[in-house]
């Protein structure tokens, strides 16, 4: 089974890009599964289901979404194998910009959009910097020069990645992206695999449900600003 | 310069000669001060905790820097010349073969005509992707008569095609001058200031209404934006092929715009329904049902008619200017 992790900031167009790729894969009679990770709410699973794709939805609720991802992804891969998917795509939003669901030896895709601002590539951590493929969306809304400047900023922080422009609405570029999906690593399990980058360290009193503000309520991994 | 020797040079020297290395390091949130310390020593001295906070580790930072330097050095290499672009037909949406082979040369303008949804975008995409029978149309694209290196597909430095889309919005909060400078710097052109001056002057030639270098790009009119992007494409883009999706109704001198790109020895493919633009091309590719159904060479009779069409267009333009100036059209 070919497995890929797709991530990117909220509203960058992840679902639309994946749906366009799925259409192209389905034209080649491939069986596809998608796992959608989100925090509070998502209806994207219905968009996938409408395409006739097997879908699993995971809502992290009160938990850190990327910790939730990493605790569940192995069973998701197992689920994909049991259902004999030829492709399994996980979709998650990197909410704090320091997280990344990317796994060593597993094709990692990051989706970001031209409207997110010229400094955004610098602000996104391992999710962008360690991706194998960076998909830039919403290119039809901006000028050619602006697309180029944005892509060069992406290239600066991830010079090794393949950078592609895809339009999630018209599908322009999706066919080409699909040919990269077809080269994704073929795996049977995630056993023994490692994340590409550590998660942010946590476990302070607030992780455990503390809500009161004040020095006396702060225990665990706490860091102070220099003021 | 060899990449390996870069690591042994002092930061002072490096940052002066290759300012983009500083850009690279600061884009990861690292601080760097010019001094006698070599790049290698600097990298070795980076604090592991600090790197972890920045979301990167030593190995990946080094790998990225290597890749980045490779890309930058490639950008400074001379561009491969494209003297001929050949499209070898595949099939249309019903599987009917497109029995044709067309070769396009620099300085030529080829128009693409056909109803919406007929497959114009797919043709433009096949060229951009340098299709080798691996797209839904089965078309093949040759460069200089050969199957090209696959680098054309993925390289951001050596893009085969620059695409001027219909949408000309800007979202960056910069003046026209700052914006073009940023673009010039990202392309590592030797004399960015001169390029910026050239592009702004040329864009003002093409646009009906003038704008200043200080005008924010977000407040340029449709015509001004388009003029700026055409001038930018002519002087800053190294891509040998320009794809243009309609230039009509933009309030710019379209003939001058095309002439400018032709002069820069680009192969120009333009999707258009505008009779004037269509006749300005050397050839028109007629797209139907996903395939190239016909190739029409602009005839002598058509070229003569072009003069009339241009007169008609100029009359309309004059009327438009009168409306803009607040006059009435009671007398035509």
């Amino acid at each position: 089974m070919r497995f890929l992790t797709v991530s990117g900031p909220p509203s960058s167009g992840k679902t639309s890009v994946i749906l366009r790729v799925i259409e192209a894969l389905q034209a080649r009679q491939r069986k596809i599964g998608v796992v959608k990770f989100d925090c509070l709410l998502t209806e994207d699973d219905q968009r996938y289901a409408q395409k006739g794709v097997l879908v699993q939805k995971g809502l992290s609720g009160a938990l850190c979404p990327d910790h939730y991802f990493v605790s569940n992804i192995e069973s998701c891969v197992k689920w994909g194998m049991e259902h004999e998917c030829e492709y399994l795509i996980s979709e998650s939003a990197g909410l704090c910009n320091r997280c990344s669901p990317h796994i060593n030896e597993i094709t990692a895709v990051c989706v970001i959009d031209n409207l997110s601002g010229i400094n955004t590539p610098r602000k996104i951590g391992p999710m962008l910097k360690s991706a194998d493929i960076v998909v830039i969306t919403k290119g039809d809304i901006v000028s050619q020069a602006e697309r180029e400047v944005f892509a060069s900023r992406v290239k600066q922080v991830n010079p090794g990645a393949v950078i592609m422009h895809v339009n999630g609405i018209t599908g322009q570029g999706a066919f080409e992206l699909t040919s990269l999906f077809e080269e994704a690593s073929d795996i049977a399990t995630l056993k023994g695999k490692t994340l590409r980058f550590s998660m942010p360290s946590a476990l302070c009193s607030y992780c455990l449900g503390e809500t009161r503000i004040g020095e006396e309520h702060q225990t665990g991994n706490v860091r102070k600003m220099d003021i | 310069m060899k990449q390996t020797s870069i690591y042994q040079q002092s930061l002072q020297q490096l940052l002066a000669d290759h300012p983009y290395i500083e850009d690279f390091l600061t884009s990861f949130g690292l601080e760097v001060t010019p001094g006698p310390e070599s790049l290698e020593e600097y990298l070795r001295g980076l604090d592991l905790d600090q790197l972890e906070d920045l979301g990167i580790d030593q190995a990946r930072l080094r790998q990225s820097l290597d890749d980045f330097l490779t890309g930058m050095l490639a950008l400074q290499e001379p561009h491969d010349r494209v003297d001929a672009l050949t499209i070898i037909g595949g099939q249309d949406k019903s599987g009917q073969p497109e029995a044709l082979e067309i070769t396009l040369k620099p300085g030529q303008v080829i128009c693409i005509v056909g109803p919406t949804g007929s497959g114009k975008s797919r043709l433009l995409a096949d060229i951009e992707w340098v299709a080798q029978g691996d797209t839904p149309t089965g078309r093949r694209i040759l460069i200089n008569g050969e199957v090209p290196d696959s680098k054309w597909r993925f390289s951001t430095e050596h893009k085969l095609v620059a695409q001027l889309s219909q949408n000309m919005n800007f979202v960056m909060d910069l003046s026209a001058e700052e914006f073009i400078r940023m673009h010039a710097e990202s392309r590592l052109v030797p004399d960015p200031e001169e390029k910026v001056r050239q592009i702004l002057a040329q864009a003002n030639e093409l646009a009906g209404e003038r704008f200043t270098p200080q005008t924010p790009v977000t407040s340029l009119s449709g015509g001004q934006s388009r003029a700026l992007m055409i001038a930018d494409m002519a002087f800053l883009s190294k891509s040998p092929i320009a794809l243009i999706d309609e230039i009509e109704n933009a309030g710019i001198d379209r003939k001058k715009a095309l002439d400018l790109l032709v002069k820069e020895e680009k192969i120009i493919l333009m999707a258009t329904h505008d009779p004037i633009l269509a006749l300005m091309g050397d050839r028109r590719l007629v797209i139907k049902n996903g395939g190239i159904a016909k190739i029409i060479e602009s005839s002598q009779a058509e070229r003569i008619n072009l003069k009339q069409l241009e007169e008609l267009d100029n009359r309309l333009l004059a009327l438009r200017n009168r409306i803009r100036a607040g006059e009435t059209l009671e007398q035509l």
Side-chain angles (χ1 to χ4, degrees):
Chain A
M1 180 176 73
R2 300 195 191 286
F3 174 51
L4 300 99
T5 53
V6 179
S7 64
S11 303
S12 57
K14 298 178 291 296
T15 308
S16 299
V17 167
I18 297 171
L19 285 168
R20 297 287 93 80
V21 168
I22 285 174
E23 285 165 8
L25 287 173
Q26 282 176 333
R28 298 173 209 184
Q29 319 292 326
R30 306 278 190 255
K31 186 172 178 188
I32 303 149
V34 174
V35 191
K36 167 81 190 187
F37 287 93
D38 223 315
C39 296
L40 297 178
L41 178 104
T42 181
E43 279 159 10
D44 290 343
D45 53 325
Q46 293 166 19
R47 294 177 69 191
Y48 289 120
Q50 276 168 5
K51 286 270 173 218
V53 166
L54 280 176
V55 60
Q56 278 287 345
K57 166 164 88 170
L59 292 177
S60 61
L63 282 178
C64 160
D66 285 84
H67 283 103
Y68 179 75
F69 167 88
V70 78
S71 345
N72 286 288
I73 194 64
E74 193 186 1
S75 346
C76 294
V77 166
K78 202 161 157 255
W79 166 80
M81 288 298 291
E82 280 163 8
H83 287 81
E84 295 176 337
C85 292
E86 289 166 272
Y87 284 82
L88 182 68
I89 301 168
S90 86
E91 180 195 340
S92 59
L95 298 172
C96 74
N97 284 336
R98 168 61 177 73
C99 287
S100 155
H102 302 325
I103 300 165
N104 284 314
E105 298 152 54
I106 302 292
T107 305
V109 185
C110 179
V111 180
I112 57 173
D113 74 270
N114 271 301
L115 303 188
S116 63
I118 190 68
N119 289 319
T120 297
R122 297 176 170 209
K123 293 178 188 165
I124 303 176
M127 177 171 79
L128 171 63
K129 290 175 177 137
S130 74
D132 302 309
I133 302 168
V134 179
V135 174
I136 306 179
T137 57
K138 305 183 194 174
D140 57 328
I141 298 176
V142 301
S143 65
Q144 152 80 11
E146 208 161 318
R147 279 196 297 275
E148 264 185 43
V149 170
F150 192 79
S152 82
R153 291 291 175 104
V154 170
K155 181 132 188 115
Q156 201 168 43
V157 296
N158 190 347
V162 170
I163 299 172
M164 294 195 74
H165 287 93
V166 177
N167 181 327
I169 294 172
T170 64
Q172 191 180 356
F175 172 83
E176 290 75 8
L177 178 61
T178 306
S179 66
L180 294 181
F181 271 50
E182 294 201 309
E183 289 166 18
S185 20
D186 202 353
I187 56 148
T189 169
L190 286 183
K191 224 173 190 42
K193 297 259 189 286
T194 50
L195 286 171
R196 295 198 182 191
F197 203 76
S198 66
M199 299 265 167
S201 38
L203 212 66
C204 68
S205 39
Y206 298 106
C207 297
L208 298 171
E210 179 63 79
T211 55
R212 288 169 298 177
I213 297 169
E215 197 86 39
E216 62 274 33
H217 309 298
Q218 296 168 357
T219 54
N221 199 346
V222 175
R223 187 191 287 187
K224 295 293 185 188
M225 284 165 72
D226 272 336
I227 291 174
Chain B
M1 182 175 41
K2 273 272 177 51
Q3 210 163 305
T4 41
S5 69
I6 286 183
Y7 286 86
Q8 306 313 322
Q9 285 186 37
S10 76
L11 285 178
Q12 196 166 10
Q13 191 63 45
L14 269 180
L15 301 188
D17 295 348
H18 310 277
Y20 53 81
I21 295 180
E22 182 172 358
D23 275 356
F24 172 86
L25 294 168
T26 53
S27 71
F28 280 89
L30 294 163
E31 275 174 42
V32 52
T33 36
E37 162 189 47
S38 72
L39 179 58
E40 178 58 42
E41 288 163 338
Y42 168 80
L43 291 173
R44 230 181 290 147
L46 289 171
D47 180 52
L48 290 181
D49 288 344
Q50 189 204 353
L51 286 178
E52 197 182 328
D53 277 352
L54 295 171
I56 187 91
D57 54 34
Q58 273 276 358
R60 215 174 280 282
L61 181 66
R62 278 172 185 268
Q63 182 61 53
S64 288
L65 182 54
D66 271 342
D67 291 339
F68 179 73
L69 291 172
T70 309
M72 281 302 172
L73 295 174
L75 203 53
Q76 289 161 316
E77 277 168 20
H79 222 61
D80 301 277
R81 271 190 64 85
V82 172
D83 295 314
L85 173 86
T86 308
I87 304 169
I88 301 173
Q91 72 272 328
D92 70 7
K93 282 177 194 164
S94 331
Q96 291 298 314
E98 267 180 328
L100 55 90
E101 186 176 317
I102 339 159
T103 297
L104 317 178
K105 305 238 152 136
Q108 289 182 340
V109 179
I110 295 89
C111 294
I112 302 171
V113 298
T116 310
S118 59
K120 286 181 297 208
S121 305
R122 187 63 250 169
L123 173 63
L124 297 182
D126 281 346
I127 294 170
E128 191 162 17
W129 183 244
V130 215
Q132 294 305 322
D134 57 353
T135 69
T137 60
R139 290 189 187 114
R140 291 191 300 131
I141 306 293
L142 305 182
I143 293 175
N144 300 335
E146 288 169 21
V147 174
D149 197 309
S150 65
K151 75 171 181 199
W152 291 108
R153 286 190 170 180
F154 299 117
S155 148
T156 44
E157 290 83 28
H158 296 107
K159 267 197 119 30
L160 185 62
V161 170
Q163 191 172 359
L164 206 62
S165 46
Q166 220 165 355
N167 231 320
M168 278 291 131
N169 295 322
F170 293 96
V171 292
M172 287 181 195
D173 185 15
L174 296 168
S175 70
E177 185 179 25
E178 287 168 327
F179 177 72
I180 299 296
R181 185 178 305 121
M182 188 181 258
H183 191 207
E185 283 168 0
S186 80
R187 302 230 50 123
L188 283 192
V189 296
D191 187 356
E193 287 311 315
E194 171 56 20
K195 281 275 186 224
V196 171
R197 201 198 51 73
Q198 226 178 352
I199 290 168
L200 293 175
Q202 189 64 59
N204 267 310
E205 286 272 303
L206 297 178
E209 316 150 80
R210 298 192 71 79
F211 62 93
T212 71
Q214 287 75 42
T215 309
V217 284
T218 47
S219 55
L220 294 175
S221 71
Q224 288 169 331
S225 313
R226 196 163 272 271
L228 185 63
M229 285 306 90
I230 288 172
D232 173 279
M233 190 185 235
F235 294 114
L236 267 186
S237 163
K238 286 188 182 171
S239 305
I241 300 168
L243 295 184
I244 305 176
D245 205 355
E246 316 257 344
I247 322 188
E248 40 259 331
N249 306 327
I252 68 163
D253 192 327
R254 297 173 296 185
K255 188 159 176 19
K256 265 194 206 162
L258 275 184
D259 286 347
L260 178 65
L261 294 170
V262 167
K263 211 171 71 202
E264 293 299 315
E265 285 290 289
K266 289 186 186 298
I267 298 172
I268 301 164
L269 285 143
M270 178 167 52
T272 185
H273 305 137
D274 183 296
I276 295 185
L277 289 170
L279 296 190
M280 276 180 195
D282 304 283
R283 274 176 284 180
R284 309 204 279 284
L285 306 186
V286 184
I287 313 276
K288 264 189 201 146
N289 191 31
I292 303 174
K294 218 190 317 184
I295 303 171
I296 302 175
E297 298 270 343
S298 304
S299 69
Q300 195 55 35
E302 278 187 327
R303 288 195 193 281
I304 293 166
N305 287 342
L306 177 59
K307 289 232 173 353
Q308 270 190 52
L309 287 172
E310 278 172 343
E311 276 160 28
L312 207 65
D313 195 48
N314 285 337
R315 279 194 64 196
L316 263 178
L317 189 69
L319 294 179
R320 205 177 289 148
N321 284 337
R322 279 169 56 188
I323 291 280
R324 185 182 287 150
E327 292 170 30
T328 66
L329 296 186
E330 282 167 7
Q331 300 277 321
L332 287 185

